[in-house]
Amino acid sequence: MSASTTTVGHDEVAALKTVALRGGLGEPVKVSCSTLGERLDASSQTASRRLQRLEAAGLLERDVVGDGQWVTVTNAGERRLRGEYADYRRLFEGEAGLSLSGSVTSGMGEGRHYIQLSGYHEQFVERLGYEPFPGTLNVSLSEAAVRARAGLDSVEGVPIDGWEDEERTFGPATCYATEVSADGESFTPAHVIVPERTHHDEDQIELIAPAKLREELGLDDGDEVRVRVTDAERADEPASPTETTEFGGSA
């Protein structure tokens, strides 16, 4: 079963967290299904199935031995846990969004091409509320920002639908509202654009804006930037109500 077809629910995430708390986040940790089952208030068989699902989803690696198994949380598993952590921070600390830092780098020039394609361009104008500059700002994330990037899953983004023409199919993407800062200067509006299919690794992000960010902020390759990501609302939809008394009612 491939990772893309494996369903990972709250029970599996609880097992993943338990493995991480036992030391499996940084190195292999020995786990028995009976002990794991006790911690999860489940049977050994259920604990074993949860580990198998996590392995199939690419969230952990297992090396089964005679008296148990050595288990390690993968990078994808760590990202999943960091996403959960970001959700709880928003819940209990009221902190929305996240900050990412990195350095400006040159891309391959594909951003200009894709942004100007009518199927994407029309959605950018309609849903983001501006006509983007024909090009993207590429940022190579710091090591800490690569780990923090998992928090994007807890931030509201603007969906950009996939589409097709007579020759090929173009995949969907999500745009996250950002403020870009460098040397005391900031620019907004801007968005981190995350295609569903991308050639970029997790250590890079692309930014779009209504102006050329390199010129607006005086950026060259290697310059440090900070990207503050917050919840985004579609420009073509009314703003969400800020106050409600109960479901179905308004203040």
Side-chain angles (χ1 to χ4, degrees):
M1 183 180 295
S2 66
S4 61
T5 60
T6 302
T7 300
V8 173
H10 296 298
D11 290 338
E12 285 74 28
V13 172
L16 185 66
K17 181 181 72 173
T18 300
V19 171
L21 288 171
R22 295 196 61 187
L25 193 59
E27 58 186 5
V29 61
K30 197 169 187 180
V31 174
S32 72
C33 289
S34 59
T35 300
L36 180 62
E38 290 176 3
R39 290 180 176 271
L40 299 174
D41 193 23
S43 67
S44 299
Q45 293 79 6
T46 297
S48 177
R49 286 194 295 270
R50 292 177 186 175
L51 291 177
Q52 291 171 18
R53 292 193 191 104
L54 289 167
E55 181 182 32
L59 301 183
L60 58 73
E61 296 175 347
R62 296 189 306 149
D63 180 17
V64 180
V65 294
D67 57 346
Q69 53 196 311
W70 290 92
V71 183
T72 310
V73 177
T74 63
N75 289 336
E78 181 179 350
R79 289 195 298 271
R80 180 61 181 265
L81 290 175
R82 286 186 177 277
E84 295 286 317
Y85 170 66
D87 284 341
Y88 281 115
R89 288 194 68 179
R90 294 187 67 184
L91 179 62
F92 293 110
E93 299 177 16
E95 180 170 324
L98 71 156
S99 292
L100 303 173
S101 61
S103 57
V104 175
T105 184
S106 295
M108 296 187 293
E110 294 185 353
R112 175 185 295 272
H113 169 68
Y114 284 105
I115 285 176
Q116 294 183 95
L117 292 175
S118 61
Y120 289 132
H121 186 271
E122 293 172 2
Q123 293 186 72
F124 292 145
V125 173
E126 179 179 292
R127 300 182 182 184
L128 304 184
Y130 61 79
E131 182 171 352
F133 171 81
T136 61
L137 179 70
N138 292 71
V139 177
S140 180
L141 297 176
S142 66
E143 185 176 339
V146 172
R147 296 192 297 267
R149 177 181 172 151
L152 279 177
D153 292 339
S154 69
V155 180
E156 292 293 333
V158 175
I160 303 297
D161 299 330
W163 54 285
E164 60 183 43
D165 59 17
E166 296 179 354
E167 298 180 356
R168 57 169 292 188
T169 298
F170 297 87
T174 304
C175 290
Y176 299 94
T178 70
E179 179 183 57
V180 189
S181 303
D183 288 333
E185 300 291 332
S186 298
F187 186 94
T188 188
H191 288 79
V192 174
I193 181 168
V194 182
E196 185 176 278
R197 301 193 299 261
T198 178
H199 59 270
H200 286 305
D201 295 327
E202 291 291 319
D203 62 355
Q204 290 197 17
I205 57 174
E206 288 186 277
L207 301 168
I208 62 174
K212 188 174 182 178
L213 290 171
R214 281 180 178 263
E215 293 183 355
E216 292 293 326
L217 296 173
L219 299 172
D220 293 313
D221 281 1
D223 286 348
E224 296 294 318
V225 296
R226 182 169 294 277
V227 179
R228 176 65 183 169
V229 185
T230 56
D231 287 339
E233 292 185 347
R234 287 178 53 163
D236 59 340
E237 292 183 350
S240 302
T242 57
E243 295 186 25
T244 58
T245 53
E246 57 185 0
F247 294 114
S250 59

